[in-house]
Amino acid sequence: MRQSQKTEQADRKRKVGLEGQEQAAARSKASVEEEKMSGIQFQALVLDRDNLNKAYLRVVRNKGAAGIDGMTVDGLLPYLREHRAELLAQLRDGTYKPAPVKQVEIPKPDGGMRKLGIPTVVDRFVQQAVAQVLSPMYEQVFSDNSFGFRPHRSAHDAIQRAVELDDQGYRYVVDLDLKAYFDTVNHDMLIKFLERRINDRWLLRLIRRFLTSGTMNGKMLERSEQGTPQGGPISPLLANVYLNEFDQELTARGHEFVRYADDCNIFVKSPRAGERVLASVTRFLEKELKLTINQEKTKVVSTNRMKFLGFTIGHTKDGAYPYPVRQSKIRIKQALRKLTKRNRGVPLDRMLQEIQMKMRGWLQYYGFGKMKTFVAQLDAWLRSRIRQYIWKQWKKVKTKVMNLKRLGLSANDAFTAASTRKGAWRTAHSKTLTYTLGNEKLEHLGLINLSKTLQQIQNA
């Protein structure tokens, strides 16, 4: 027994020693990375001709709305040809001043409104040039548990990591919701975090000017005292720099977590552990990072009740799997209902094209999860909506008879079907329309087959 205790003590000491070595190695690596970034002359890298050309191409490819000056991406090249030397001189000598961003609001999936700050095209060009230099450097220090706004990382990767943690026994999550995160980032703290790895005054001054350029709300100029407005190329990177401090804190505490932008889930093994972690990280976020937790939306839940990037997690004897949350299914059905509204009055081919564009994108994203049954049901419902729309388009009995005959009905059967007093939705489910406007016929007209498309996506 004594020998066993001595052995256990020796093992513990050895383990502690190894952990100490690992932490020292990690600190050493971080130190090297900080030194590497601190010694860089960023002005030469940002204003390098190849970097600027790459930034121009990216801004043009991303398109986007015009800023407060009304210049579109099509006007960027003529502007640069005429003002290139002047712009570079202003950037070099520090007299360049970004214009205020144009504030716009877009609807959020939950029904609220999200504020976007749209910089001018020229400012987007400069921001993109800076982001291209900083991004690969910060990729070396960002956490492996962070997935949002990063190259070669996607929402699907984040969801897959969540599934893996569930399979490892982490069946509960602290579902954090940061209140208006992008609008409440503290500028001084963000610059302090940047200074930990960058000691180039020119770059830090340029970034601060972007942060404090102001917002044009209609004709009113509002000062930017905090926040990094969504809409500019550099904002996602700066948002990750800020929350990387949170990532490092969670890692140091030994927590398992998955973060996508400001959407963070910390995985635990019991509700009690979750409540303890929630209280602790709330103190850190509010005291150390000056962020606000949305108490109404932040909660500890089991993984099969979590909502992460539009997905939740289900379980079988073979393990965990992702599938779309109920709200995602409801929203796509509402969108299709709007597109197939009976009184829209648009040509059928245009409607079918709109449906195809909408559903291909939706299936590409949500096809990552398990939803074969739902898509089959949605397929049947959508076909009925299209049959209803076609029936309403025909309007007169004479037109209905003519079209039904073209689709293979006898004159007598066509007249009988066309003379029905049933409503359009009930008629859409009748044997007459399901035969004359069968699945193959609707596909021939241009209606996407959702089940086949889903299978193709999942087998790709």
Side-chain angles (χ1 to χ4, degrees), residues 353-368:
Q353 187 178 18
E354 290 174 351
I355 293 171
Q356 182 155 173
M357 290 175 62
K358 179 74 176 178
M359 292 310 301
R360 279 197 178 278
W362 192 86
L363 290 171
Q364 283 285 354
Y365 183 74
Y366 286 102
F368 178 76

Side-chain angles (χ1 to χ4, degrees), residues 162 171-179 246 250 256-268 270-271 273-279 281-282 285 292-313 325 327:
R171 293 293 178 88
Y172 294 88
V173 295
V174 180
D175 187 356
L176 286 174
D177 187 274
L178 298 177
K179 195 170 184 178
F246 184 48
L250 292 177
E256 297 289 354
F257 67 97
V258 183
R259 183 175 67 80
Y260 192 94
D262 60 332
D263 195 347
C264 183
N265 283 303
I266 305 171
F267 287 74
V268 294
S270 71
E275 295 295 343
R276 187 170 62 249
V277 170
L278 174 57
V281 299
T282 297
L285 286 166
T292 304
I293 296 287
N294 189 330
Q295 299 292 345
E296 293 180 0
K297 294 184 178 180
T298 295
K299 52 192 176 297
V300 178
V301 295
S302 59
T303 52
N304 59 8
R305 291 181 57 204
M306 67 183 286
K307 297 175 185 176
F308 185 45
L309 303 174
F311 287 86
T312 189
I313 294 178
V325 296
Q327 288 84 347

Side-chain angles (χ1 to χ4, degrees), residues 172-286:
Y172 294 88
V173 295
V174 180
D175 187 356
L176 286 174
D177 187 274
L178 298 177
K179 195 170 184 178
Y181 168 65
F182 286 90
D183 298 329
T184 57
V185 168
N186 185 287
H187 290 171
D188 291 335
M189 296 195 71
L190 175 56
I191 295 298
K192 182 180 76 172
F193 297 151
L194 288 167
E195 285 175 337
R196 288 179 180 174
R197 294 184 170 85
I198 300 167
N199 63 1
D200 188 311
R201 293 290 99 192
W202 175 84
L203 181 62
L204 293 171
R205 185 167 59 246
L206 180 60
I207 291 174
R208 186 177 279 278
R209 284 186 175 178
F210 277 120
L211 292 172
T212 58
S213 61
T215 301
M216 191 63 73
N217 188 358
K219 294 184 178 180
M220 294 288 293
L221 176 62
E222 299 176 358
R223 294 181 61 188
S224 300
E225 297 181 352
Q226 61 180 5
T228 170
Q230 298 179 72
I234 202 171
S235 294
L237 174 62
L238 296 180
N240 271 333
V241 169
Y242 201 88
L243 282 179
N244 186 55
E245 301 298 316
F246 184 48
D247 295 343
Q248 300 306 321
E249 179 68 17
L250 292 177
T251 301
R253 295 183 184 188
H255 293 313
E256 297 289 354
F257 67 97
V258 183
R259 183 175 67 80
Y260 192 94
D262 60 332
D263 195 347
C264 183
N265 283 303
I266 305 171
F267 287 74
V268 294
K269 292 189 175 182
S270 71
R272 185 176 179 181
E275 295 295 343
R276 187 170 62 249
V277 170
L278 174 57
S280 177
V281 299
T282 297
R283 286 193 297 270
F284 177 83
L285 286 166
E286 296 188 341

Side-chain angles (χ1 to χ4, degrees), residues 154-161 163 311 321-324 362-371 454 457-458:
S154 67
H156 289 171
D157 295 327
I159 297 158
Q160 183 58 43
R161 178 61 181 148
V163 171
F311 287 86
Y321 64 89
Y323 68 95
W362 192 86
L363 290 171
Q364 283 285 354
Y365 183 74
Y366 286 102
F368 178 76
K370 188 175 180 181
M371 56 172 184
L454 176 64
I457 290 170
Q458 293 181 335

Side-chain angles (χ1 to χ4, degrees), residues 334-341 344 351 354-355 358:
Q334 287 174 339
L336 289 174
R337 181 176 278 112
K338 189 175 180 180
L339 285 176
T340 58
K341 198 173 179 181
R344 273 194 74 196
M351 175 187 288
E354 290 174 351
I355 293 171
K358 179 74 176 178

